[in-house]
Amino acid sequence: MLGVTDLPTYLAAVVLIVLLPGPNSLYVLSVASRRGVKEGYKAASGVFTGDTVLMVLAAVGAGALLQASPVLFTVVKVLGAGYLGWLAVGMMRGALAMWRDRRARDAEAPAAVEPTGPAERPFRRALVVSLLNPKAILFLLSFFVQFVDPQYRYPALSFLLLGTVSQLVSFLYLSTLIFTGTRLSAAFRRRKRLAAGATSAAGVIFLGFAAKLAVS
């Protein structure tokens, strides 16, 4: 089918890969739980856009360029790790602000308000998280080629089909996370301690992602 070999096996592999926890899916869940469905889909759109760009780069040979240039790979990797670390610090600062706000409310401080900060821009953040991951390009390149018939005259169509299937699976999974996150948001609004704890945990996990990317 359009030069794709063993499509059922590819579909099963994609489902398993998409279900693995990663910074993209965790960020989408975090945004949805804090800011609702609309903002959750903004973050998901950033993931879709970033993944599409990476798929195109893999198809046109950027993966081979990264393999041939360890310096370029290291630069992109360090930038990605630094950005994930920056997001982690931001989450932890947000959690600290929640704890302080909760204590102020418990002490019945007058005019206690929700902590405010700069606009988060979920689409842009999710897009950058997706793009600053050189391992993703190498993975897509090595993964896709296993299911492309080398004798097929139009390999671009094969990559297009594989990418479309991957994006559809990702859309279904991220939609599930978004609507799960909106259910969590109601509990977070009622219980500031729960919200602060969840945000702190997300920050720690993002630090783990940053460390893993940096040392890989």
Side-chain angles (χ1 to χ4, degrees):
M1 182 179 181
L2 296 179
V4 175
T5 62
D6 203 357
L7 185 59
T9 300
Y10 171 77
L11 179 59
V14 165
V15 170
L16 291 175
I17 292 168
V18 168
L19 290 177
L20 291 174
N24 289 338
S25 57
L26 179 62
Y27 182 66
V28 171
L29 177 61
S30 172
V31 170
S33 64
R34 291 180 288 109
R35 307 184 64 180
V37 172
K38 182 178 179 180
E39 297 299 307
Y41 272 111
K42 286 183 180 179
S45 297
V47 174
F48 300 144
T49 303
D51 287 349
T52 299
V53 171
L54 293 183
M55 290 175 188
V56 171
L57 291 176
V60 301
L65 176 61
L66 287 176
Q67 287 177 319
S69 177
V71 173
L72 178 60
F73 181 88
T74 300
V75 168
V76 178
K77 183 178 69 171
V78 170
L79 288 175
Y83 189 71
L84 290 177
W86 180 76
L87 288 181
V89 171
M91 290 178 178
M92 291 179 176
R93 291 177 60 187
L96 180 60
M98 291 178 192
W99 280 110
R100 289 174 175 171
D101 179 69
R102 175 182 171 275
R103 289 176 180 175
R105 290 176 182 274
D106 289 345
E108 297 184 350
V113 297
E114 293 292 331
T116 59
E120 185 169 345
R121 296 185 178 88
F123 175 86
R124 187 176 69 180
R125 286 194 177 184
L127 176 62
V128 175
V129 169
S130 296
L131 293 179
L132 291 180
N133 186 0
K135 294 195 301 180
I137 301 178
L138 299 183
F139 169 77
L140 289 171
L141 180 64
S142 61
F143 181 58
F144 278 12
V145 296
Q146 298 179 51
F147 299 94
V148 176
D149 183 355
Q151 304 301 321
Y152 188 64
R153 295 181 57 187
Y154 307 104
L157 293 179
S158 304
F159 274 90
L160 177 62
L161 176 58
L162 294 173
T164 300
V165 171
S166 176
Q167 293 288 59
L168 287 175
V169 173
S170 179
F171 173 79
L172 294 175
Y173 176 60
L174 292 181
S175 294
T176 301
L177 291 182
I178 288 170
F179 286 101
T180 300
T182 56
R183 293 182 179 180
L184 292 174
S185 65
F188 289 165
R189 283 193 297 268
R190 293 192 302 268
R191 302 179 61 184
K192 295 297 181 182
R193 179 182 296 180
L194 178 62
T199 304
S200 299
V204 171
I205 294 172
F206 263 74
L207 278 179
F209 286 136
K212 182 179 178 181
L213 180 59
V215 303
S216 62

